[in-house]
Amino acid sequence: MSIFSKNSPPDNGDDKIANEQVDDYSEPASVSTEDQAAAYESMVRNELASRPGIAKPSIISEGFTFEGTITSDGVLNIAGTVRGKVTAKSVLIDASGQVEGELNSEQLVIKGQLKGEVNCDDLNIGPLARVDGAISYKYIHIQRGSKVSGKFIKN
């Protein structure tokens, strides 16, 4: 009898090993790739949910325009246009992204356009970025090719 069997016979001591059944796993399991993908996706989703501080990013897609205030404790990816006030832990302004207004963030990566007042800890400006405004930062990295203007203040 297998150790995983629900209906196990009474324990007879020495006969236990002699009566143990061996399961044969030589045949390959027939599991579709869709089932495997669904199982993997479920596993990743459960793992992310069990890890505090790791969440899916919020995304402002290309072609989308948002006017107002955005507040997030996580990551915000901007590929569209945002006009207003943005506050998030981490912000990525994609190459097609445009932000005009006030932006507060711990980490800020600019690959697109930013115009306005910025307060951040870690600022990374990409080679195609255009930045104009009052920028307050602790650490900065400006890649060759970017265009920056305005007032830059190191905290």
Side-chain angles (χ1 to χ4, degrees), residues 31-47:
V31 178
S32 70
T33 55
E34 292 87 14
D35 292 341
Q36 289 175 343
Y40 177 75
E41 184 178 324
S42 176
M43 178 189 70
V44 169
R45 190 178 307 120
N46 290 339
E47 183 176 329

Side-chain angles (χ1 to χ4, degrees), residues 9-142:
D11 189 11
N12 292 339
D14 294 334
D15 293 337
K16 185 176 183 179
I17 296 173
N19 291 334
E20 187 172 333
Q21 178 183 352
V22 177
D23 293 331
D24 182 17
Y25 292 106
S26 61
E27 290 185 37
S30 60
V31 178
S32 70
T33 55
E34 292 87 14
D35 292 341
Q36 289 175 343
Y40 177 75
E41 184 178 324
S42 176
M43 178 189 70
V44 169
R45 190 178 307 120
N46 290 339
E47 183 176 329
L48 286 174
S50 67
R51 292 167 147 181
I54 296 180
K56 293 182 180 179
S58 298
I59 300 172
I60 305 295
S61 300
E62 190 172 350
F64 185 84
T65 300
F66 180 89
E67 293 185 15
T69 301
I70 299 174
T71 304
S72 172
D73 291 334
V75 178
L76 176 63
N77 291 353
I78 301 171
T81 302
V82 174
R83 291 185 192 100
K85 183 177 179 178
V86 176
T87 303
K89 183 173 183 175
S90 178
V91 176
L92 165 65
I93 302 173
D94 204 3
S96 61
Q98 299 177 356
V99 174
E100 186 175 327
E102 182 181 338
L103 195 148
N104 298 295
S105 176
E106 289 180 19
Q107 296 179 327
L108 175 59
V109 177
I110 306 170
K111 295 180 179 181
Q113 299 177 25
L114 172 66
K115 185 174 185 178
E117 186 177 327
V118 176
N119 185 7
C120 66
D121 290 343
D122 189 11
L123 175 61
N124 188 335
I125 302 174
L128 301 176
R130 288 190 280 163
V131 179
D132 183 16
I135 316 295
S136 176
Y137 64 91
K138 285 186 183 177
Y139 307 101
I140 190 169
H141 179 82
I142 302 174

